Structures are given as structure tokens and as C-alpha cells.
Amino acid sequence: MIIVLNDRISTDEVKNVKDYIIKTGARIHESEGTEKKILGVIGDKRDLDQMALEAFPGVEKVIRILEPYKLTSRKFHPRNTIIKVKDVSIGDLEPVLIAGPCSVETEEQITDIAREMSEKGVKILRGGVFKPRSSPYSFQGMGEVGAKWISEAAKKYNLAVISEVMEISDIDTLYDYVDIFQIGARSMQNFKLLKAIGKTDKPIFLKRGISATLNEFLMSAEYILSEGNEQVMLCERGIRTFVEFTRNTFDLNIVPMIKNVSHLPIIIDPSHATGRTDLIIPVSLGGLAAGADGLMVEVHPKPYEAFSDGNQSLNYDQMNDLLDAWEVIRESVLKLRKKKIEEIEKNVSDYAG
Ligand code: PEP
Ligand code: MN
């Protein structure tokens, strides 16, 4: 439920409305429209009476929200969320590029990739050190020493670092080495991990579960936001379908759909979504044209020697091809993005202005 207060409401009148809501056990999330204050009501609202609320002095209108997600909803927060990581803004006009190996393997490997990526204009370096692998016999990641290597390589080339946490104790282990915590697809519904990560002050990169619906995906983000961390970006990394020629199926639909229903940035990961190097460039372009706020790709100097996911990693030349292709459509995509932002601003003033 959203309560729009009029611009002449007194402090006492605001207090009366809030007391009434709090008495029912619900929580309040406050935000400001262009001119008016908005109270978002979260939690058990069984005792909240819409008509009674509308009768309070200073209340302009009460809007019911049918979706189960609240804090992640664009209705609660009409403008796009912009997440600042070092000098990068995620969710703003310019889509961000995140690249790096599936796994940090050696100090030399990650340092070489960091240098190459910074030369190509990438701002965020990825690299897993705790790896969720389907087989217990596969490479499980370098652990903390790998985190130290990626952090030092990133520092040398002025990049931000993103790496995955698989369990609660990984949060402390990685805290000083990374700028963004990644929650992998397999952990999307590890609710204890989501609650713990929601108590941190670093941005979170939440990947869509292998068979997660839109609502399940946004409810997982809701877990993080409801603990106080509002710096969440979502990632479409493909879902499991009957299609057998790719590792997963890239769900292009969810990119504009998320932009419709949520204010959180959505990043695409065509490496995991396709599992095939030859499909990464076309799928990247499709996703960016559809409104993605960024792109995460796996890159390795010698993909055929990679410890994990070599068959979905670009080599340096292929990464150049991707950047060239992006340059061809970039201006047009930015024009579309600008138009979208203007539409949002217009809706904000119609809604609460
Ligand atoms: C990864 O990013 O390397 C990864 C394991 O991704 P996902 O959780 O999407 O499978
Ligand atoms: Mn991978």
C-alpha cells in the first residue's frame, strides 16, 4: 500500500498517519516525490483500512499494491536506482561493462586480464574464488588467496572487483577484497545468505535462479532490501528450458519487464545464458538494445586452458569484437535510454507531483 500525503500536511498529521500504520504491526518506508511525501507500507496490513486512511487529514490518496514485492517495486520507488561503485554509476544512462575470468586461477592470469580489460575501458573486474560447481571433483576456486590476487590486480589498474559469496562466512572473508558481492544463481533462494548480505554496506549483484520466476527473483531481492541494503542489481543469466543447443536459455523478455516493474538495475550475463562463445556477441547486443543496464562477460587469455567455463569465455580478440559491435549500436541505445528516463520523470510528476 502506498499513501500519498499532500504538500500542506502538518507534522502532527503525518505522525497520526504513521502511528495508525505502526499500530497494525506494519513497517513504513518513506520517500519523496517531486513535491509530495510518500509512505510505503510493508508487512502485515490485515488491519489497515484503506477508507480509514483516506479519511486522515493530509492524506491525498491511498494506492493498493498487488505485487508481493514492495521495496523492489517501481511503484514504491519510481525513479531508477543508481548504484555507485568507485567512479562507475550502475543503472544510470551508460550501460556498464563487467568482464573477467570465470575463476581466478593464478596471480599472473588475473593481473594480465585486469591490464587488458582496463585498456579496453572495462571498469569492473569479475573473478570467482568460491566456485559453485556441479561436480565435487571440478575446480572449486582458489579461496582467499585468489581474492587477494584479484584485489591487487584491480588496484593496479583502477578497477572495481566483483566476486561470489556462497555462504555467510564468505562475506567476512571477501569483505576487504571486493567492491560488489555476487550471489550466484544457485544461491538465489538461500534466504539466510540473502538476509546476511542485506546487512552489509556493499552493492549486491543478485543472479536469477536457474528456474526462478520474475516474482521469485524480485522476492529474493526484497529479502536483501528489507534488511536495509538498497544497493541491489539483478542479473539475467539464463534459465533452464527444453532447449538443448545452449547451456541455458537467455530470457530477453525479463530485461524490459524488470525495467517496467522494478527500479533496480538489470545486468545481462550472456556467457552463462548461452554457454557458447559464438553466441555471446549477438545476445549481448540484443540484451543491451532491450534496456539492460550492463553486461557481464567471461574473458580469458586462453579459454581452452581455463579452469572453468572456457567454452563460454571470450579471448582478448573476441572481447575487442564485442566492444566494436557495442560501439555500432551504442548511440542509438543511449538515445532510447534517455527517452525512457524522460518517461519515468513524467510518470513521477503525474503520480506524486
Ligand atoms: C559465475 O558467475 O561464474 C557463476 C557461477 O554464475 P551463475 O551463478 O549464474 O551460474
Ligand atoms: Mn562461470
Side-chain angles (χ1 to χ4, degrees):
M1 188 178 276
I2 289 174
I3 300 156
V4 181
L5 306 177
N6 74 36
D7 45 1
R8 293 173 310 281
I9 190 167
S10 71
T11 318
D12 281 348
E13 287 168 345
V14 174
K15 189 174 176 309
N16 288 342
V17 177
K18 284 189 181 175
D19 286 349
Y20 177 77
I21 298 165
I22 290 164
K23 250 201 311 216
T24 68
R27 274 163 58 193
I28 300 170
H29 181 266
E30 292 185 48
S31 57
E32 300 280 339
T34 34
E35 285 167 27
K36 296 188 170 75
K37 202 182 198 36
I38 296 168
L39 302 180
V41 182
I42 306 145
D44 188 354
K45 314 177 298 291
R46 270 170 305 182
D47 298 332
L48 268 184
D49 178 338
Q50 180 168 355
M51 299 262 276
L53 269 166
E54 271 168 344
F56 272 82
V59 170
E60 187 163 302
K61 58 183 162 183
V62 176
I63 305 161
R64 278 211 174 270
I65 296 191
L66 298 175
E67 295 85 1
Y69 46 88
K70 312 286 177 204
L71 297 172
T72 53
S73 165
R74 198 179 273 288
K75 288 183 184 151
F76 256 59
H77 183 299
R79 292 193 175 88
N80 291 334
T81 281
I82 297 174
I83 301 171
K84 295 240 188 281
V85 182
K86 293 199 162 184
D87 57 347
V88 195
S89 293
I90 303 162
D92 211 344
L93 186 64
E94 183 79 37
V96 295
L97 298 176
I98 305 172
C102 178
S103 302
V104 175
E105 299 169 359
T106 63
E107 190 170 8
E108 294 68 38
Q109 173 242 22
I110 194 64
T111 310
D112 193 66
I113 297 174
R115 180 182 46 74
E116 278 282 334
M117 293 308 105
S118 78
E119 278 172 13
K120 294 182 200 309
V122 169
K123 301 277 192 214
I124 305 175
L125 181 66
R126 65 149 287 148
V129 298
F130 297 118
K131 296 302 303 176
R133 304 305 302 280
S134 303
S135 162
Y137 309 118
S138 299
F139 175 62
Q140 304 284 306
M142 294 304 297
E144 188 170 355
V145 69
K148 195 164 159 283
W149 294 336
I150 192 172
S151 152
E152 282 168 4
K155 218 170 270 162
K156 194 164 169 190
Y157 296 103
N158 196 29
L159 299 167
V161 173
I162 173 169
S163 199
E164 176 166 353
V165 289
M166 286 174 60
E167 55 179 326
I168 294 174
S169 64
D170 295 345
I171 299 173
D172 277 347
T173 310
L174 291 193
Y175 191 86
D176 291 331
Y177 301 114
V178 308
D179 302 288
I180 306 172
F181 288 123
Q182 176 171 321
I183 302 278
R186 293 154 193 82
S187 301
M188 191 205 81
Q189 287 192 316
N190 180 340
F191 300 118
K192 283 192 174 169
L193 181 60
L194 298 177
K195 282 188 183 180
I197 209 92
K199 293 188 174 72
T200 68
D201 58 1
K202 284 192 197 282
I204 311 300
F205 188 93
L206 177 67
K207 292 189 121 187
R208 182 181 184 184
I210 287 163
S211 62
T213 64
L214 176 73
N215 274 5
E216 286 164 347
F217 193 12
L218 289 173
M219 289 310 282
S220 288
E222 188 84 13
Y223 262 91
I224 303 172
L225 270 79
S226 70
E227 291 296 331
N229 188 340
E230 299 187 343
Q231 305 177 82
V232 176
M233 60 203 102
L234 305 167
C235 174
E236 162 56 24
R237 46 76 73 208
I239 45 171
R240 181 66 58 84
T241 69
F242 58 84
V243 167
E244 81 307 341
F245 65 95
T246 49
R247 179 177 177 184
N248 291 296
T249 296
F250 178 63
D251 182 6
L252 181 63
N253 298 354
I254 205 168
V255 175
M257 193 62 197
I258 284 195
K259 299 304 295 181
N260 284 349
V261 299
S262 177
H263 52 89
L264 299 176
I266 170 85
I267 314 282
I268 51 166
D269 170 356
S271 291
H272 292 88
T274 65
R276 297 177 57 126
T277 303
D278 60 337
L279 300 187
I280 291 178
I281 294 177
V283 170
S284 299
L285 298 180
L288 287 164
D293 296 298
L295 177 65
M296 172 187 262
V297 278
E298 291 185 329
V299 177
H300 196 284
K302 295 179 182 164
Y304 50 89
E305 286 183 0
F307 291 6
S308 58
D309 286 351
N311 46 352
Q312 59 184 45
S313 299
L314 300 178
N315 63 28
Y316 295 159
D317 286 343
Q318 291 163 332
M319 182 67 186
N320 285 338
D321 293 343
L322 168 63
L323 295 174
D324 288 348
W326 165 228
E327 211 42 57
V328 173
I329 66 162
R330 185 171 158 270
E331 282 304 322
S332 309
V333 170
L334 291 186
K335 221 184 268 176
L336 283 173
R337 291 175 69 79
K338 224 176 258 165
K339 207 163 151 240
K340 265 275 171 245
I341 293 170
E342 284 162 12
E343 275 169 27
I344 291 167
E345 283 306 319
K346 193 181 170 299
N347 286 340
V348 172
S349 45
D350 288 352
Y351 173 65

